[in-house]
Structure formats: structure tokens, C-alpha cells
Amino acid sequence: MQKTLMAKESPSKKQIFLEKLSQLEDCDEDEQKQKIGEMNEIVDRMNNNELESIFNEETFNKTEKMIEKKKISLENMCLLLKYIGIYKETNRTYFQRCREYSLGKRIQKMIIEENKRKSEEKKEKLLTDLCEFYISLSCSFSPKLLSICVSTLLKVALNKEENEKARKEVEIALLALSNIKPIDKVPKELYLNEIKEIIQYQQEHQDLTRLANQCAWQFLMNRFYWDKSMEEVIVNEQHFAREAATELEELARSVDWKKKEEEMSKEEAREMLVISRWIQALSFFFENCLVWNEEYVELFSSIVQVSRAVRENQRKICDLCICLLRNAAERRVVKDEALLCEGAVDTVLEGIQRPTLNDMATYESLEFFNAILRRLKEVDDKMEETKRKALKKEIFEQMEEEGYEDTIASFHGIMVFLQEYFDDDLSLNISDYFVNV
């Protein structure tokens, strides 16, 4: 009887990574560096699900035991863990919080102890690496840890040396800082002068990478959750909208959007990542900012350009643009003319007329039109009535020409589902989506 030989199943990336992690204990320092380099290459090829299956409590606790038994040097530990943190941030991967794990607690203690050392004894590179890893893989921070990490990383980010290594170090430091969430309260005296200097120097010299520049703005923007005076600094003093518009336009031109994601070069994929980060940051900005600036008009034009450029092959980014426009439409600080004159209405309408549409995009689009039409139906100032009627007439004619009413009516059957699914006050009255001229 002929035997059927079964091909041996190849080990998964997870299995290879964990096997190499175990082998680190039996290697000298140079061999560890080589294996860690190989492990980081494996991380580069993993998808989010594979990453989440590896970087859990078991893996972090195993790494902590290796440190405790001196089976891995602190420098090599940072080489491994910091790379994981960077990858997590650049790919928007969410791991379980490491703060409560034994590894997280050990690193907290190491940061505090290293920071206490006298200047001549302090290992600045080690402290920086520990802070970058800890911030990148934690979701909340004690005030003491936050103070040390912010001060340490801003010192790195202020480095103005003109070489590739320095630029990369600045990028990683700012990437970590951008992970400090709005809910984490950072005293103004810890960061304001430094982050303004970084942004102003970039405006004059264009020395930061695109990712580093976005991260600097992200960190500053997150701060006005607790301190509304930051809005004035960001909007009028630092000209955030103008800078964001310029970045989006340049990024949109740097990628061949006719390619599918798998066809893009590494550089194009990186630029696409930065665009996604900008769009998500701007959505938060318009959801929370209460200061108006005429530069928003240029910014909305740039957002519309990005949405139209990516529509064919990058639906996720296009949907993020629609979500952003919805947030802007619901904020009274954004003037009607800015949204209506820069193509936002056209963009959302084109988005919901495509053959395939997910629930989130449908919901955000309906909420956008609900907000726009609610604004057009209201009259706050009689002096603006003539202008408002002209806007209503213009948008009515545009929507009639584009078949807007038929498009909206086609979603009527799923509105109850969308309202319940998103637990929000989506209007179920179809007439709320139509302009009365």
C-alpha cells in the first residue's frame, strides 16, 4: 500500500518569533543583537492579528524574567522592545496594556531610578529608550512618569543635527510623545516652549520627516483637551490649518493612488500612513476645537483633494475623510461657506453613491447631511438671510442634479438599524435630509 507523504507544515511567524525569543537566553550580547534584528524583520512581516497574539502578558512576563536573571542586557532589551513599540504606533496596532504587567512595573522603576542619577552618571540613551518603549506600549501614565518621559523625549526631539541618524531619533521621540493621549494631563510648563520651538524650526527649515512633523502637531493638539488656551496657540499663533493643508497636499502628490496597497513601495506605504494619521488627528481637532480661522477654508480644500485622490483604491482613508467632514459639519465654529464652497458636500455625496458602502461610512454620510441641512434651515441672524437663501438654492440645485434625494431615500430602510448599531440620534425622518428652498 502506497503511503501518502504529508508535507510538513511550515512554522508560523509567531512560532519562529517565540522560538528566537527563547534562544536569546543562551546567546552572548552580539548574538542577541543579531537574533533581535531577525526578530524585528519578522515583526515587519506580521499583520495586526499576529502581533496581538504574540505581544501579550505571557511574552512580556517572559522578557521581564530574562531581565531579572540577567539573561539579556538592558541595551538589547530596549533594542527589541522599542522596535515593537515603534511598529505598534506606526501601524496603529493595539496591544494589551503593559503597564500592569511585571515588565511594565519594572520599566517604570528603571525610568525613575535612572532619572535620579547625577548628570555624569545618567545613561541618557538608556533613559530615552526606556521612555520611548514605555510610552509606546502604555495607555495611561502616572504624573511622575509622564513628567520624566515628556522632558526626556522633548530633549531628544530638540536635536537639530542634520544627519539621518539624528532625524530618525527625533522621529521616534516625537512618535512616542504623540501616543500621550488627550486624557493624560501634561503641565504646560513641561512642553509648550519646547514643542513650539520644534514646530517653528520645522516651518523655517523643513528638517523633520513627515511622520515626525505630524507627531509634533498631534502631541500639541492633544493638550487642548485639558487646556483650551492651547487652541489659540495652535490655530492662530502656529497656523495649524495652513500647515496641515500644505502637508496633506504634498502627501497626496507623493503617492501614486492608482496603485493598490500591495503594489505600493515602502516609501508610498509610509506616506499613506502619515495621511491616515493626519486625517484622524484633524477629525479630533474639529470635534473639539472652538476657534475659527479663515485658514480652515484651504484645509477643507486639501481634505477634499485627498478624499478624491484615494477613493478608487484606498476606501479606508476615504471613509476617514467622510468622518472628518461629518465632525466639522456638526461644529458651529466651522462656517457654512467653508464646507459648501470647498466641495465637502460633493465629496460625501460621491462617497455614498459608490457601489459598495459599509455601515460606518453610510452612518457618517447621513449624519453629515443631517448636520449641513439642519444648519441651512436655521436662521440665527436676519442680516445673513439673503446669503443663506442663496446657499440653500445652490446646494438644492446641486443635489437635485446629482440625484441626492434618491440616494438618501435608498438608505431609509436601514436607518433604524444604523441608529441602534451606533447608539446615536440619527434622524429617522427622511425629510430632515432635504433642503427646503
Side-chain angles (χ1 to χ4, degrees):
M1 183 176 177
Q2 189 176 4
K3 293 182 179 179
T4 304
L5 297 177
M6 301 292 291
K8 189 176 180 180
E9 188 175 341
S10 300
S12 66
K13 291 190 284 290
K14 174 181 177 179
Q15 290 170 325
I16 296 171
F17 182 93
L18 293 176
E19 182 180 347
K20 287 184 180 295
L21 179 63
S22 297
Q23 291 170 355
L24 291 178
E25 297 189 45
D26 302 317
C27 297
D28 62 29
E29 191 161 345
D30 289 338
E31 289 174 328
Q32 283 183 350
K33 284 181 180 176
Q34 181 182 341
K35 284 197 179 294
I36 288 170
E38 295 169 359
M39 292 165 72
N40 288 341
E41 289 177 4
I42 295 170
V43 168
D44 274 337
R45 301 195 302 271
M46 287 182 176
N47 59 38
N48 286 0
N49 289 334
E50 288 170 325
L51 284 165
E52 290 169 8
S53 71
I54 288 178
F55 301 117
N56 50 33
E57 183 173 7
E58 182 181 355
T59 302
F60 286 132
N61 285 347
K62 182 172 183 177
T63 306
E64 194 272 337
K65 290 292 183 187
M66 291 170 65
I67 298 168
E68 183 182 17
K69 295 177 181 178
K70 301 188 185 312
K71 296 289 188 179
I72 185 171
S73 69
L74 292 178
E75 289 74 14
N76 281 349
M77 181 271 294
C78 288
L79 188 64
L80 172 64
L81 297 179
K82 193 172 81 168
Y83 189 86
I84 295 166
I86 295 165
Y87 190 90
K88 172 253 184 185
E89 275 304 292
T90 53
N91 290 274
R92 295 301 204 204
T93 304
Y94 296 95
F95 304 147
Q96 300 179 54
R97 291 195 295 179
C98 78
R99 180 183 175 186
E100 291 83 6
Y101 302 158
S102 56
L103 176 63
K105 292 174 182 176
R106 176 178 286 273
I107 289 177
Q108 289 178 59
K109 184 179 178 182
M110 290 167 66
I111 289 172
I112 292 170
E113 289 177 350
E114 192 63 38
N115 187 63
K116 283 180 180 177
R117 295 182 190 275
K118 295 177 181 179
S119 298
E120 62 272 15
E121 298 175 350
K122 191 181 295 185
K123 297 179 181 177
E124 296 288 353
K125 179 67 168 63
L126 175 61
L127 180 59
T128 298
D129 288 344
L130 291 170
C131 289
E132 286 170 346
F133 164 69
Y134 184 68
I135 289 183
S136 296
L137 286 182
S138 297
C139 295
S140 59
F141 318 92
S142 70
K144 186 173 185 178
L145 260 296
L146 201 58
S147 174
I148 297 171
C149 290
V150 170
S151 300
T152 300
L153 298 182
L154 281 174
K155 190 185 300 182
V156 176
L158 281 163
N159 185 356
K160 298 181 177 65
E161 292 180 43
E162 295 183 3
N163 60 70
E164 195 59 34
K165 182 182 178 183
R167 281 161 59 87
K168 188 64 179 177
E169 288 174 350
V170 168
E171 180 184 85
I172 293 171
L174 288 169
L175 181 63
L177 285 167
S178 72
N179 192 49
I180 300 175
K181 302 297 186 289
I183 198 169
D184 293 307
K185 194 172 184 178
V186 184
K188 191 186 300 184
E189 59 271 16
L190 273 181
Y191 70 88
L192 185 56
N193 290 336
E194 289 82 357
I195 201 71
K196 284 169 65 175
E197 181 181 339
I198 291 167
I199 288 172
Q200 287 167 359
Y201 190 84
Q202 166 67 4
Q203 290 170 341
E204 294 169 9
H205 298 88
Q206 301 297 305
D207 196 47
L208 295 177
T209 66
R210 293 196 190 281
L211 177 58
N213 187 35
Q214 191 281 324
C215 289
W217 282 108
Q218 178 87 58
F219 172 78
L220 182 56
M221 195 188 318
N222 286 349
R223 307 289 66 83
F224 70 56
Y225 183 89
W226 286 104
D227 186 349
K228 289 300 178 183
S229 69
M230 284 298 99
E231 293 181 347
E232 189 66 32
V233 172
I234 293 169
V235 175
N236 295 325
E237 185 179 334
Q238 300 298 317
H239 298 284
F240 168 70
R242 183 186 67 196
E243 295 297 315
T246 300
E247 280 293 290
L248 284 175
E249 289 169 12
E250 291 180 359
L251 281 162
R253 287 194 296 267
S254 69
V255 177
D256 182 358
W257 298 107
K258 293 179 182 178
K259 294 180 181 177
K260 296 189 180 297
E261 193 168 342
E262 58 271 16
E263 299 170 336
M264 289 185 176
S265 67
K266 194 170 184 179
E267 291 73 23
E268 286 177 316
R270 185 177 174 84
E271 303 288 65
M272 189 173 70
L273 158 75
V274 181
I275 286 183
S276 296
R277 289 178 64 95
W278 269 116
I279 297 299
Q280 291 177 74
L282 287 166
S283 190
F284 168 81
F285 174 80
F286 283 112
E287 191 174 340
N288 291 277
C289 188
L290 301 175
V291 177
W292 165 256
N293 187 297
E294 291 295 335
E295 292 171 354
Y296 291 170
V297 175
E298 180 186 355
L299 178 55
F300 282 119
S301 177
S302 300
I303 294 164
V304 167
Q305 287 179 43
V306 169
S307 179
R308 287 175 174 165
V310 304
R311 179 174 294 118
E312 190 66 29
N313 289 317
Q314 299 297 330
R315 295 305 324 172
K316 289 181 181 178
I317 297 179
C318 186
D319 290 346
L320 287 174
C321 289
I322 291 175
C323 180
L324 161 57
L325 293 171
R326 174 262 173 119
N327 280 333
E330 291 189 331
R331 303 297 168 255
R332 292 296 177 174
V333 68
V334 179
K335 295 183 179 179
D336 296 346
E337 301 93 308
L339 287 167
L340 299 178
C341 297
E342 294 305 322
V345 172
D346 288 343
T347 299
V348 179
L349 183 56
E350 289 166 8
I352 61 173
Q353 287 177 329
R354 66 183 189 257
T356 57
L357 194 67
N358 62 40
D359 293 335
M360 175 60 80
T362 306
Y363 169 77
E364 296 288 355
S365 301
L366 290 170
E367 284 285 45
F368 170 85
F369 284 112
N370 202 5
I372 286 286
L373 302 181
R374 190 165 58 241
R375 291 165 68 143
L376 290 175
K377 289 175 182 179
E378 296 171 359
V379 180
D380 298 324
D381 188 339
K382 290 185 179 179
M383 294 295 290
E384 294 186 357
E385 181 61 9
T386 302
K387 189 175 183 180
R388 190 174 297 276
K389 282 184 176 180
L391 279 171
K392 288 170 68 175
K393 188 173 187 299
E394 179 184 342
I395 194 171
F396 175 78
E397 291 174 351
Q398 176 185 325
M399 289 178 168
E400 188 176 42
E401 183 179 339
E402 296 294 334
Y404 166 79
E405 292 197 18
D406 288 341
T407 301
I408 297 298
S410 70
F411 293 119
H412 192 229
I414 64 168
M415 284 182 179
V416 172
F417 163 75
L418 292 174
Q419 185 188 49
E420 292 176 352
Y421 185 80
F422 292 104
D423 191 25
D424 210 340
D425 57 350
L426 182 71
S427 176
L428 303 180
N429 185 353
I430 201 72
S431 66
D432 286 342
Y433 299 90
F434 303 137
V435 179
N436 299 316
V437 180

